[in-house]
Amino acid sequence: MRNLVQARFLRRYKRFFADCRLADGREVVAHCPNTGSMKTLLGEGRRAWLRPSDDPRRKLAWTLVFLEVERGERALIDTALPNRIVAEAVLAAAVPELPAPRGLRREPRLASGGRVDLFLEPAAEDHPGTWVEIKNVTMRSARVENRADFPDAVTSRGARHLDELRALAEAGERALQFFLLGRGDCDRVGLAREIDPAYAAALQRARDAGVEFLAYDLDLAEGLIRLGRRVPIDLD
């Protein structure tokens, strides 16, 4: 994304709003796509990267895409991007663990009524399709240096997603939880058991049932936002 505008983050409020100061001194209100706790991300004066829009139908002309974190790196705030980033990488055969599919369905509905982020249709009839749930990981770990942990708040929705993946695995389907490491100052992903023990328990049930876990970081070089390299996951 080469059209991002740099600003300074001032404050976030009512979950959806972020006040930022542009380089010319103007204060603008940006849409904050991340409605979670954003633990370890918020701090007045941090650099922010905003995406402008000239769509007259939008209530806010700016969207908060990145916030600065340690060592001058960036953390991905725009929660609309992770699914697209992963889907594009899979279709480009850039994820060896997920061979390029014949087709890709976004947010397919399950028989239970729930949804999963992606379904990768098998390239050959004798190969299974793959159900993929994607989580953006942006909270710096309080316990392990250079690690980002998930979740950053209690998430019954996240536990439900794991239970849905577990049910698919128990039915003989290939199911995978994809953690996107969304901050550049960390090099691995971990589990925040202390924040949400119920999520940790759901994850263990999913592992026992055969759900796979995979984590990649972001490549932000040359003004692009794309999938980077595989990184380790600490789930024990």
Side-chain angles (χ1 to χ4, degrees):
M1 287 189 174
R2 302 178 185 276
N3 65 332
L4 298 184
V5 175
Q6 196 172 135
R8 289 287 174 179
F9 175 79
L10 299 177
R11 66 191 66 85
R12 176 207 187 205
Y13 53 100
K14 296 182 180 179
R15 297 173 62 198
F16 295 99
F17 303 107
D19 288 344
C20 299
R21 181 178 292 115
L22 302 179
D24 61 9
R26 286 184 296 147
E27 290 191 12
V28 298
V29 181
H31 170 60
C32 181
N34 187 332
T35 60
S37 77
M38 295 181 63
K39 190 177 177 68
T40 75
L41 293 174
L42 303 176
E44 183 176 353
R46 292 190 181 196
R47 287 189 296 170
W49 286 263
L50 310 179
R51 182 174 63 245
S53 173
D54 56 5
D55 185 345
R57 297 170 297 178
R58 282 181 55 110
K59 293 182 179 180
L60 298 175
W62 303 89
T63 298
L64 179 60
V65 179
F66 291 107
L67 276 175
E68 183 179 31
V69 290
E70 282 74 9
R71 301 196 297 270
E73 298 285 353
R74 287 180 280 177
L76 180 62
I77 307 302
D78 190 346
T79 52
L81 293 179
N83 287 12
R84 193 182 84 185
I85 292 168
V86 174
E88 289 177 352
V90 169
L91 289 173
V95 185
E97 301 82 4
L98 297 172
R102 182 178 70 248
L104 182 150
R105 289 158 50 198
R106 300 172 190 266
E107 298 189 1
R109 186 175 294 278
L110 302 173
S112 64
R115 292 183 183 274
V116 176
D117 287 326
L118 301 175
F119 177 69
L120 312 182
E121 298 176 357
E125 291 185 1
D126 58 341
H127 287 74
T130 304
W131 301 88
V132 182
E133 182 66 27
I134 302 164
K135 300 299 182 189
N136 186 37
V137 186
T138 60
M139 182 185 71
R140 189 172 181 86
S141 175
R143 297 182 291 113
V144 180
E145 188 175 1
N146 298 329
R147 194 176 82 180
D149 288 350
F150 188 88
D152 65 359
V154 173
T155 172
S156 58
R157 182 170 180 265
R160 184 177 73 251
H161 289 157
L162 285 172
D163 286 340
E164 288 168 342
L165 291 178
R166 175 174 57 84
L168 288 166
E170 290 174 341
E173 302 275 351
R174 187 185 184 199
L176 184 142
Q177 172 73 74
F178 195 110
F179 290 113
L180 180 64
L181 176 53
R183 56 185 296 158
D185 61 342
C186 294
D187 57 17
R188 62 198 308 111
V189 168
L191 180 61
R193 295 178 179 274
E194 69 282 5
I195 289 180
D196 192 349
Y199 180 86
L203 187 145
Q204 187 59 56
R205 291 194 300 270
R207 289 179 74 186
D208 292 344
V211 174
E212 301 172 47
F213 293 84
L214 184 63
Y216 271 69
D217 64 10
L218 284 173
D219 179 4
L220 303 177
E222 302 174 357
L224 301 176
I225 305 176
R226 58 193 173 193
L227 199 68
R229 298 174 296 180
R230 185 172 181 176
V231 297
I233 312 176
D234 303 329
L235 295 179
D236 296 317

